[in-house]
Amino acid sequence: MTSTSTVAVIGLGAMGLPMATRLAQRFDVRGFDIAEQRVELAAEQGVAPASSAAEAVAGAQVVLVAVRTGEQLRDLLFGASGLADHLADGAAVVLTSTVGTDGIAEIADRLASSGAHLVDAPLSGGPVRAGAGDLLIVVGAEPAALETARPVLEQLSSTLSIVGDRPGDGQALKTVNQLLCGVHIAAAAEALALADALGLDRERTLEALTAGAAGSFMLGNRGPRALQAYDEGGAEVLSRLDIFVKDMGIVGAAARAHHLAAPVAAAAEQLFLLGEAQGLGELDDSAVIRVVAPTRRGDAA
């Protein structure tokens, strides 16, 4: 028997865990992750632990999936785990990850053949906003599937934007979103590195820039962390640099597939790739400033 009050969360990583704990404030939530430590952390915050993905989804009408790539999604649903075979009839599988549009329609069709539905709902906002229910979520889904998942999506979001009625529409808009985010992070890094090279006070420069026409969300959000990137230990990791390697790769592939020139996005992608090659992949994405300027003005070379 299914229940709209029961939600399963598969993947309790940087985003999955705060989403699960946020949902546990309103729903009965079962969580699973291949890392046992993450399951234990979730249990401490009111999420019922499951020993397998199949156990987590049993009877759940909404299944939230937080994986990293499309390959992981296909493997979870149709590979060794075979999660699709354990879903409740009519269950809505909510894809929260940014994986690109490739193969999404096929995955939706395969789920439909087993009586379940795909709700394409990539999100933006980071772990802190996930835990506060302050995410931007863009959704592509058939109306009936959306209505099944809507209470869960509303619990997680401050902005819920329905961009289309096809799975894949959400991924398409999130691809556009990530183009802007990646470019803005890279531009903020270049600007702050230039300010430092010119001998300007970094904090005062950032304050002035964010107050004027040059300000952007990413400058205001990543700027302070970029200034911490040179400190011992760097800035707190709220969004890993290698996530933007993945996302800007999705952006580039989409642009090429549609024969669209995207030189600014391509340049930003190269900065993130260089950062990953230099061992910065697990650091906060604001550490891309260290690609532009390996040291601060006045620091030893």
Side-chain angles (χ1 to χ4, degrees), residues 10-34:
I10 309 300
L12 299 169
M15 290 297 291
L17 179 58
M19 287 192 292
T21 57
R22 168 70 180 177
L23 292 173
Q25 298 174 13
R26 179 177 174 185
F27 306 97
D28 295 327
V29 179
R30 290 195 295 270
F32 174 75
D33 193 284
I34 57 174

Side-chain angles (χ1 to χ4, degrees), residues 251-296:
V251 169
R256 287 189 295 274
H258 292 278
H259 301 275
L260 177 72
V264 179
E269 180 185 8
Q270 293 302 307
L271 287 179
F272 291 113
L273 283 166
L274 284 168
E276 183 180 53
Q278 294 171 15
L280 308 179
E282 295 184 359
L283 300 184
D284 190 77
D285 54 37
S286 57
V288 74
I289 193 173
R290 288 170 51 182
V291 177
V292 179
T295 59
R296 287 181 295 199

